[in-house]
Amino acid sequence: MADSAFVTALLAKLKGELCVDLGAVHLAGISAGGMMAYQAALDNHAQIASVAPVAGSRFVGFNVAPASPVAVLSSHGYADWTIPANASNGEPGPKPRGVAESSDHFFYVEEPDILRKFSRNCDGRTAKYPTKYDGARELQCVRPFGKCESDIVMCVGQWGHTWPLHKEYPEAWASLALDFFAATKRSA
């Protein structure tokens, strides 16, 4: 809660002191920062155009929809056991359907279920989201629910608890996120 209050206060301070394009406020974060980006989008949905969490998730029981549309570019590796994207790359053993268990035994919502909460008015036709890094370490980005009111993109591939292609192309994730942010505008 303190993280989200910090983001709310920061946005108010920046808007009060700088000339800010209020339709182009974007957040990014990795791991707990990715979790914070999701939560800040929920708490500040009327001010946030998009978020780009990396290796972040939602705790089971806290996966809710924002009150207004927020675009999401989610990046999560198949080899992430710290905050697993899906049950298939989490700890084995019985658990409720749709739950990914981390190596330290926290329960997380599977990535598609988080993104489903952020999706609104989608056409339901999964579509490829092409990038210049397609195929590198099996990177694949898709719009899992098709065309939606706000863009929902999920990027997956063969990496662990880090950003995509961090060794092969250190600039890759920043490039993907900046392109996504540039294409995302919140209507006033």
Side-chain angles (χ1 to χ4, degrees):
M1 191 62 161
D3 289 343
S4 196
F6 167 75
V7 171
T8 302
L10 178 63
L11 287 172
K13 182 170 179 60
L14 292 174
K15 288 190 309 187
E17 295 179 8
L18 301 172
C19 180
V20 175
D21 181 351
L22 299 178
V25 176
H26 311 281
L27 300 175
I30 185 169
S31 190
M35 295 168 73
M36 181 182 79
Y38 277 130
Q39 188 61 48
L42 295 171
D43 295 341
N44 297 283
H45 56 86
Q47 300 178 76
I48 305 295
S50 67
V51 294
V54 177
S57 189
R58 304 284 302 150
F59 288 115
V60 169
F62 294 90
N63 191 36
V64 297
S68 61
V70 177
V72 180
L73 170 69
S74 167
S75 301
H76 220 133
Y78 293 133
D80 186 350
W81 292 277
T82 305
I83 300 178
N86 297 296
S88 61
N89 66 309
E91 287 293 307
K95 60 187 120 322
R97 187 170 184 262
V99 172
E101 182 180 357
S102 64
S103 57
D104 56 356
H105 307 293
F106 281 95
F107 293 113
Y108 295 99
V109 176
E110 291 186 305
E111 199 69 19
D113 292 336
I114 297 168
L115 297 178
R116 190 171 288 110
K117 291 289 187 181
F118 278 81
S119 66
R120 293 170 183 262
N121 303 316
C122 302
D123 65 18
R125 295 182 292 224
T126 300
K128 186 166 176 45
Y129 181 84
T131 77
K132 61 186 172 187
Y133 302 102
D134 287 350
R137 297 220 35 206
E138 299 181 29
L139 175 73
Q140 171 182 297
C141 298
V142 298
R143 289 182 171 100
F145 312 108
K147 185 176 171 79
C148 300
E149 186 173 338
S150 58
D151 215 0
I152 305 296
V153 176
M154 180 173 65
C155 297
V156 296
Q158 286 301 330
W159 61 85
H161 192 67
T162 187
W163 61 90
L165 310 175
H166 67 286
K167 290 182 183 175
E168 299 84 351
Y169 305 99
E171 77 290 347
W173 182 81
S175 176
L176 293 172
L178 290 173
D179 288 348
F180 185 78
F181 292 161
T184 306
K185 189 88 167 158
R186 179 168 197 74
S187 53

